[in-house]
Coordinates of all heavy atoms in Angstrom, one line a residue:
C1 N -76.4 -11.7 -104.2 CA -76.3 -10.3 -104.6 C -77.7 -10.0 -105.2 O -77.9 -10.6 -106.3 CB -75.2 -10.2 -105.6 SG -75.1 -8.6 -106.3
T2 N -78.3 -9.0 -104.5 CA -79.8 -8.7 -105.0 C -79.6 -7.2 -105.7 O -79.0 -6.4 -105.1 CB -80.7 -8.7 -103.9 OG1 -80.8 -10.0 -103.3 CG2 -82.1 -8.3 -104.4
A3 N -80.2 -7.2 -106.8 CA -80.1 -5.9 -107.5 C -81.5 -5.2 -107.5 O -82.5 -5.7 -107.6 CB -79.7 -6.2 -109.0
S4 N -81.4 -3.8 -107.3 CA -82.5 -2.9 -107.4 C -82.3 -2.3 -108.8 O -81.3 -1.5 -109.2 CB -82.4 -1.9 -106.5 OG -82.7 -2.5 -105.2
V5 N -83.2 -2.7 -109.9 CA -83.0 -2.4 -111.2 C -84.0 -1.2 -111.5 O -85.1 -1.2 -111.2 CB -83.3 -3.5 -112.2 CG1 -83.1 -3.1 -113.6 CG2 -82.3 -4.6 -111.8
A6 N -83.6 -0.3 -112.4 CA -84.4 0.8 -112.8 C -85.5 0.3 -113.6 O -85.4 -0.7 -114.4 CB -83.6 1.9 -113.6
S7 N -86.8 1.1 -113.6 CA -87.8 0.6 -114.3 C -87.4 0.6 -115.8 O -86.8 1.6 -116.2 CB -89.1 1.4 -113.9 OG -88.8 2.8 -114.3
G8 N -88.0 -0.2 -116.7 CA -87.7 -0.1 -118.0 C -86.7 -1.1 -118.5 O -86.4 -1.3 -119.6
R9 N -85.9 -1.6 -117.5 CA -84.8 -2.6 -117.8 C -85.1 -3.8 -116.9 O -85.5 -3.6 -115.8 CB -83.4 -1.9 -117.5 CG -83.0 -0.9 -118.6 CD -81.4 -0.9 -118.7 NE -80.8 -2.1 -119.2 CZ -79.8 -2.1 -119.9 NH1 -79.0 -1.0 -119.8 NH2 -79.1 -3.2 -120.3
S10 N -84.7 -4.9 -117.5 CA -84.9 -6.2 -116.8 C -83.5 -6.5 -116.2 O -82.4 -6.2 -116.8 CB -85.5 -7.3 -117.7 OG -84.5 -7.7 -118.5
F11 N -83.5 -7.3 -115.1 CA -82.2 -7.7 -114.5 C -81.6 -8.7 -115.5 O -80.3 -8.7 -115.5 CB -82.7 -8.5 -113.2 CG -81.7 -9.3 -112.5 CD1 -80.7 -8.7 -111.9 CD2 -81.6 -10.6 -112.5 CE1 -79.6 -9.2 -111.2 CE2 -80.6 -11.3 -111.8 CZ -79.6 -10.7 -111.2
N12 N -82.3 -9.4 -116.2 CA -81.7 -10.3 -117.2 C -80.9 -9.6 -118.3 O -80.1 -10.3 -119.0 CB -82.8 -11.1 -117.9 CG -82.2 -12.4 -118.4 OD1 -81.3 -13.1 -117.9 ND2 -82.9 -12.8 -119.7
S13 N -81.1 -8.4 -118.4 CA -80.3 -7.6 -119.5 C -79.0 -7.2 -119.1 O -78.1 -6.6 -119.8 CB -81.2 -6.3 -119.9 OG -81.1 -5.4 -118.8
Y14 N -78.6 -7.5 -117.8 CA -77.3 -7.1 -117.2 C -76.4 -8.3 -117.2 O -76.8 -9.5 -116.7 CB -77.4 -6.5 -115.8 CG -78.1 -5.2 -115.9 CD1 -79.5 -5.0 -115.7 CD2 -77.3 -4.1 -115.9 CE1 -80.1 -3.9 -115.7 CE2 -77.8 -2.8 -115.9 CZ -79.3 -2.6 -115.7 OH -79.9 -1.5 -115.7
A15 N -75.1 -8.2 -117.7 CA -74.1 -9.2 -117.2 C -74.0 -9.1 -115.7 O -73.9 -8.1 -115.2 CB -72.8 -9.0 -118.0
M16 N -73.9 -10.1 -115.1 CA -73.6 -10.2 -113.6 C -72.2 -11.0 -113.3 O -72.0 -12.1 -113.8 CB -74.6 -10.9 -112.9 CG -76.0 -10.1 -113.1 SD -75.9 -8.5 -112.4 CE -75.6 -8.8 -110.5
G17 N -71.4 -10.3 -112.5 CA -70.2 -11.1 -112.2 C -69.8 -10.9 -110.8 O -70.4 -10.1 -110.0
W18 N -68.9 -11.9 -110.3 CA -68.4 -11.8 -109.0 C -66.9 -11.6 -109.1 O -66.2 -12.4 -110.0 CB -68.6 -13.2 -108.2 CG -70.0 -13.4 -107.6 CD1 -71.0 -14.0 -108.4 CD2 -70.5 -12.8 -106.5 NE1 -72.1 -14.0 -107.6 CE2 -72.0 -13.2 -106.4 CE3 -70.0 -12.0 -105.5 CZ2 -72.7 -12.8 -105.4 CZ3 -71.0 -11.7 -104.4 CH2 -72.2 -12.0 -104.4
F19 N -66.3 -10.8 -108.3 CA -64.9 -10.5 -108.2 C -64.6 -10.6 -106.7 O -65.4 -10.6 -105.8 CB -64.6 -9.1 -108.8 CG -64.8 -9.1 -110.2 CD1 -66.0 -8.9 -110.8 CD2 -63.8 -9.0 -111.2 CE1 -66.3 -8.8 -112.1 CE2 -63.9 -8.9 -112.5 CZ -65.3 -8.8 -113.0
R20 N -63.1 -10.7 -106.4 CA -62.6 -10.7 -105.2 C -61.4 -9.9 -105.1 O -60.7 -9.8 -106.1 CB -62.5 -12.1 -104.7 CG -61.5 -12.9 -105.3 CD -61.4 -14.4 -104.9 NE -60.4 -15.2 -105.6 CZ -60.3 -16.4 -105.4 NH1 -61.2 -17.1 -104.6 NH2 -59.4 -17.1 -106.0
Q21 N -61.1 -9.4 -103.9 CA -59.9 -8.7 -103.8 C -59.3 -9.0 -102.4 O -60.0 -8.7 -101.4 CB -60.2 -7.1 -103.9 CG -58.9 -6.3 -103.8 CD -59.1 -4.9 -104.3 OE1 -60.3 -4.4 -104.4 NE2 -58.1 -4.1 -104.7
A22 N -58.0 -9.5 -102.5 CA -57.5 -9.9 -101.2 C -56.4 -8.7 -100.8 O -56.1 -7.9 -101.8 CB -56.6 -11.2 -101.3
P23 N -56.1 -8.5 -99.5 CA -55.2 -7.4 -99.1 C -54.0 -7.3 -99.9 O -53.3 -8.4 -100.2 CB -55.0 -7.7 -97.7 CG -56.1 -8.6 -97.3 CD -56.5 -9.4 -98.4
G24 N -53.8 -6.2 -100.5 CA -52.5 -6.0 -101.2 C -52.4 -6.6 -102.7 O -51.5 -6.3 -103.4
K25 N -53.6 -7.0 -103.1 CA -53.8 -7.6 -104.5 C -54.9 -6.8 -105.2 O -55.7 -6.2 -104.7 CB -54.1 -9.0 -104.3 CG -53.0 -9.9 -103.7 CD -53.3 -11.4 -103.9 CE -52.3 -12.3 -103.4 NZ -52.5 -13.7 -103.5
E26 N -54.7 -7.0 -106.6 CA -55.8 -6.4 -107.4 C -57.0 -7.2 -107.4 O -57.1 -8.3 -107.1 CB -55.1 -6.3 -108.9 CG -54.0 -5.3 -109.0 CD -53.7 -5.0 -110.5 OE1 -54.1 -5.8 -111.3 OE2 -52.7 -4.3 -110.7
R27 N -58.1 -6.5 -107.8 CA -59.3 -7.2 -107.8 C -59.3 -8.1 -108.9 O -58.9 -7.9 -110.1 CB -60.5 -6.2 -108.1 CG -61.8 -6.8 -107.9 CD -62.9 -5.6 -107.9 NE -62.7 -4.7 -106.7 CZ -63.5 -3.7 -106.4 NH1 -64.7 -3.5 -107.0 NH2 -63.3 -3.1 -105.2
E28 N -59.8 -9.4 -108.7 CA -59.7 -10.4 -109.7 C -61.1 -11.0 -110.0 O -61.9 -11.2 -109.1 CB -58.7 -11.5 -109.4 CG -59.2 -12.4 -108.1 CD -58.1 -13.6 -107.9 OE1 -57.2 -13.8 -108.6 OE2 -58.4 -14.3 -106.8
F29 N -61.2 -11.5 -111.2 CA -62.4 -12.2 -111.7 C -62.6 -13.5 -111.1 O -61.6 -14.2 -110.8 CB -62.4 -12.3 -113.2 CG -63.4 -13.1 -113.8 CD1 -64.7 -12.6 -113.8 CD2 -63.3 -14.4 -114.2 CE1 -65.8 -13.3 -114.5 CE2 -64.2 -15.2 -114.8 CZ -65.5 -14.7 -114.9
V30 N -63.9 -13.8 -110.7 CA -64.3 -15.0 -110.1 C -65.2 -15.9 -111.0 O -64.9 -16.9 -111.4 CB -64.8 -14.9 -108.7 CG1 -65.3 -16.3 -108.1 CG2 -63.8 -14.3 -107.7
A31 N -66.2 -15.3 -111.3 CA -67.3 -16.0 -112.2 C -68.2 -15.0 -112.7 O -68.4 -13.8 -112.2 CB -68.0 -17.0 -111.3
A32 N -68.9 -15.2 -113.8 CA -69.9 -14.3 -114.3 C -71.0 -15.1 -115.2 O -70.6 -16.2 -115.9 CB -69.1 -13.3 -115.1
F33 N -72.1 -14.3 -115.5 CA -73.0 -14.7 -116.4 C -73.1 -13.5 -117.5 O -72.9 -12.3 -117.1 CB -74.4 -14.7 -115.8 CG -74.8 -16.1 -115.4 CD1 -75.1 -16.2 -114.0 CD2 -74.9 -17.1 -116.2 CE1 -75.5 -17.5 -113.5 CE2 -75.4 -18.4 -115.8 CZ -75.7 -18.6 -114.4
G34 N -73.1 -13.8 -118.7 CA -73.3 -12.8 -119.7 C -74.7 -12.3 -119.7 O -75.6 -12.7 -118.9
R35 N -75.0 -11.2 -120.5 CA -76.3 -10.7 -120.5 C -77.3 -11.7 -121.0 O -76.9 -12.6 -121.9 CB -76.4 -9.5 -121.4 CG -75.6 -8.3 -120.9 CD -75.7 -7.1 -121.8 NE -74.8 -7.4 -123.0 CZ -75.0 -6.7 -124.2 NH1 -75.8 -5.8 -124.3 NH2 -74.1 -7.0 -125.1
S36 N -78.6 -11.7 -120.6 CA -79.6 -12.7 -121.0 C -79.1 -14.0 -120.5 O -79.7 -15.1 -120.9 CB -79.8 -12.8 -122.3 OG -80.2 -11.5 -122.9
G37 N -78.3 -14.2 -119.4 CA -78.1 -15.4 -118.8 C -77.2 -16.3 -119.6 O -76.2 -15.8 -120.1
G38 N -77.6 -17.5 -120.0 CA -76.8 -18.4 -120.8 C -75.7 -19.1 -120.0 O -75.9 -19.3 -118.8
R39 N -74.6 -19.2 -120.6 CA -73.6 -20.1 -120.0 C -72.9 -19.1 -119.0 O -72.9 -17.9 -119.0 CB -72.5 -20.5 -121.0 CG -71.8 -19.5 -121.8 CD -70.7 -20.1 -122.6 NE -69.7 -20.6 -121.7 CZ -68.5 -21.0 -122.0 NH1 -68.3 -21.1 -123.3 NH2 -67.6 -21.4 -121.2
S40 N -72.1 -19.9 -118.1 CA -71.4 -19.1 -117.0 C -69.8 -19.3 -117.3 O -69.5 -20.2 -118.1 CB -71.7 -19.8 -115.7 OG -71.7 -21.2 -115.6
Y41 N -69.1 -18.4 -116.7 CA -67.7 -18.4 -117.0 C -66.9 -18.4 -115.5 O -67.5 -17.7 -114.7 CB -67.4 -17.2 -117.8 CG -68.0 -17.2 -119.1 CD1 -69.3 -16.7 -119.3 CD2 -67.3 -17.5 -120.3 CE1 -69.9 -16.7 -120.5 CE2 -67.8 -17.6 -121.5 CZ -69.3 -17.1 -121.6 OH -69.8 -17.2 -122.9
Y42 N -65.9 -18.9 -115.4 CA -65.2 -19.1 -114.2 C -63.7 -18.8 -114.4 O -63.1 -19.2 -115.4 CB -65.3 -20.5 -113.6 CG -66.8 -20.7 -113.2 CD1 -67.6 -21.4 -114.1 CD2 -67.3 -20.4 -111.9 CE1 -68.9 -21.7 -113.9 CE2 -68.6 -20.8 -111.7 CZ -69.4 -21.4 -112.6 OH -70.8 -21.6 -112.3
A43 N -63.1 -18.3 -113.3 CA -61.7 -18.3 -113.3 C -61.2 -19.7 -113.1 O -61.8 -20.5 -112.4 CB -61.2 -17.3 -112.1
D44 N -60.0 -20.0 -113.5 CA -59.4 -21.3 -113.5 C -59.3 -21.7 -112.0 O -59.4 -22.9 -111.6 CB -58.1 -21.4 -114.1 CG -58.2 -21.3 -115.7 OD1 -59.2 -21.6 -116.1 OD2 -57.2 -21.0 -116.4
S45 N -59.0 -20.7 -111.1 CA -58.8 -21.0 -109.7 C -59.9 -21.5 -109.0 O -59.8 -22.1 -107.9 CB -58.0 -19.8 -109.0 OG -59.0 -18.7 -109.1
V46 N -61.1 -21.3 -109.5 CA -62.3 -21.7 -108.8 C -63.2 -22.7 -109.6 O -64.2 -23.2 -109.0 CB -63.2 -20.5 -108.5 CG1 -62.4 -19.5 -107.7 CG2 -63.8 -20.0 -109.7
K47 N -62.8 -23.1 -110.8 CA -63.5 -24.0 -111.6 C -63.7 -25.4 -110.8 O -62.7 -25.8 -110.2 CB -62.8 -24.3 -112.9 CG -63.1 -23.3 -114.0 CD -62.4 -23.6 -115.3 CE -62.7 -22.5 -116.3 NZ -61.9 -22.8 -117.6

């Protein structure tokens, strides 16, 4: 996933996440980084 970021902000200042949605189901969390990187977080189903 490649981001085009507005000038004046860095990509690193955004939290970045992955979600997924199967047919007939709600969108669910998969994994994410908080702002400024750091540790990552995962749904139990994909850990």
Side-chain angles (χ1 to χ4, degrees):
C1 177
T2 300
S4 298
V5 180
S7 61
R9 287 205 69 154
S10 70
F11 174 68
N12 196 39
S13 69
Y14 292 90
M16 296 298 299
W18 286 98
F19 291 77
R20 66 187 182 186
Q21 188 166 17
K25 295 187 176 181
E26 293 187 351
R27 192 166 297 189
E28 66 172 358
F29 171 72
V30 176
F33 270 117
R35 290 178 291 161
S36 301
R39 62 167 292 187
S40 51
Y41 299 83
Y42 297 92
D44 288 342
S45 58
V46 306
K47 278 181 183 176

